[in-house]
Amino acid sequence: ADDPAVLIYFSIYQLLSRPEEPQHFPVLRKMLSDFALAFTLDEARHLYAFAMNHCIGRINSGQGDFLREIFSLYKESLERHILFEGDSLSPWDYKNIVVAGLRLSEFDWVEEFIRSYQGKIPAEHRENAFTYNLAKLHFYKKHYSEVLKLLQKLEYEDVFYNLDAKVMLLKIYYELHEIEALDSLIESFRTFLRSNKLISEGHRTNYLNLILFVKKLSRVRYGDHKRRLKIRADFEATRQIADADWLREKLGE
């Protein structure tokens, strides 16, 4: 009981074997803050990953308060250089930190982070990661013209940048009521999803359902509450949808 390493691993075991019991995460969270630096950086990175994965599971199950928790974990592990491998920051950690901050509306912090840590991204990914995350920031701030300019500079070799960029465009065209551009994008997006072998079936289903509901919503006439209620019922009955929170927001408008 006096050994921090034993206590940390035991709390991780409790977290994994009894995820529904709320008392285990705060114990692990405090011990990470108190003792993580006693481990090697590589092992500390794995310890933080257990806590972050738990938060992701809780967020995905609808417990939005864990978004603040994972953002705190990201910031703490960043400040302690635990997220770094050598002197490099993974472009995926860079992206995940940005998304967590944006979802919490921490816009000033996110912009400073994007610019300050750009140089820590491996050179082969740096320009794309910086451009994509800056576009994401402008999207959350509703600076749609800036997003469109930045997306033109993005290299689309990575399938996930490609998917995320298409989703941003989909939302922008919907928000701006650019129905002709939206319809054209929907068709090209569908073709991309069905033909690209790197996309898993689960992801493919999620994005196809997103497209389906965006198209349905774009066709609702103002004041047609019956049609909107039908779409809402269909939405609530569909389990796999990418960006479900954004769609729910649009349904409520």
Side-chain angles (χ1 to χ4, degrees):
D2 296 327
D3 189 321
V6 173
L7 286 173
I8 283 180
Y9 277 106
F10 181 64
S11 68
I12 288 170
Y13 165 74
Q14 296 279 59
L15 205 64
L16 293 171
S17 59
R18 300 179 178 86
E20 72 286 351
E21 296 178 2
Q23 67 269 30
H24 306 303
F25 178 78
V27 174
L28 176 60
R29 182 69 189 88
K30 183 175 189 312
M31 285 196 293
L32 285 175
S33 290
D34 292 346
F35 301 115
L37 291 179
F39 296 85
T40 65
L41 288 179
D42 187 55
E43 191 168 3
R45 193 180 304 118
H46 287 296
L47 296 176
Y48 271 90
F50 280 113
M52 290 171 182
N53 287 336
H54 178 77
C55 290
I56 290 167
R58 299 280 71 79
I59 292 164
N60 289 343
S61 68
Q63 297 176 41
D65 51 327
F66 275 89
L67 191 57
R68 181 63 65 182
E69 292 285 0
I70 199 169
F71 188 55
S72 168
L73 285 164
Y74 276 131
K75 287 173 75 175
E76 186 172 286
S77 55
L78 194 66
E79 288 159 6
R80 294 174 162 195
H81 275 247
I82 289 168
L83 275 184
F84 290 87
E85 295 191 26
D87 197 39
S88 295
L89 180 65
S90 154
W92 307 117
D93 285 330
Y94 187 65
K95 172 180 178 286
N96 290 340
I97 292 167
V98 166
V99 170
L102 291 176
R103 289 181 66 183
L104 291 165
S105 299
E106 298 273 359
F107 298 147
D108 291 341
W109 187 94
V110 167
E111 182 163 10
E112 176 65 24
F113 168 76
I114 290 170
R115 297 187 186 281
S116 297
Y117 285 87
Q118 176 190 5
K120 298 293 185 182
I121 307 300
E124 66 271 26
H125 303 297
R126 187 174 301 151
E127 194 60 37
N128 239 23
F130 176 74
T131 303
Y132 167 82
N133 285 290
L134 202 58
K136 198 84 171 171
L137 169 67
H138 283 297
F139 176 81
Y140 270 77
K141 293 172 83 171
K142 303 186 188 301
H143 299 163
Y144 297 138
S145 61
E146 285 300 315
V147 180
L148 295 172
K149 284 181 203 170
L150 287 163
L151 290 183
Q152 288 174 359
K153 299 177 184 178
L154 205 60
E155 295 291 331
Y156 289 106
E157 291 176 6
D158 185 282
V159 68
F160 294 105
Y161 279 136
N162 207 328
L163 286 168
D164 283 359
K166 281 177 166 50
V167 169
M168 271 195 274
L169 283 174
L170 195 77
K171 292 175 179 177
I172 289 170
Y173 292 150
Y174 176 85
E175 298 282 11
L176 298 178
H177 308 290
E178 298 279 359
I179 300 302
E180 193 172 320
L182 179 65
D183 285 346
S184 176
L185 176 61
I186 283 172
E187 289 311 309
S188 65
F189 199 173
R190 271 206 193 104
T191 301
F192 175 76
L193 288 167
R194 287 173 175 153
S195 62
N196 195 300
K197 305 300 181 189
L198 296 174
I199 303 170
S200 70
E201 280 306 313
H203 277 97
R204 186 174 289 112
T205 300
N206 287 343
Y207 287 109
L208 285 171
N209 282 334
L210 170 65
I211 288 169
L212 173 69
F213 282 101
V214 169
K215 183 152 190 174
K216 284 182 177 182
L217 275 175
S218 71
R219 295 298 188 271
V220 177
R221 294 188 180 192
Y222 183 77
D224 190 348
H225 300 302
K226 185 177 179 182
R227 177 67 179 147
R228 188 172 285 270
L229 286 171
K230 173 67 170 68
I231 295 171
R232 180 183 287 279
D234 292 343
F235 169 79
E236 297 297 344
T238 305
R239 297 191 57 167
Q240 288 182 263
I241 311 177
D243 277 271
D245 288 342
W246 178 81
L247 272 174
R248 190 173 287 107
E249 181 187 323
K250 297 303 113 184
L251 278 161
E253 289 178 352

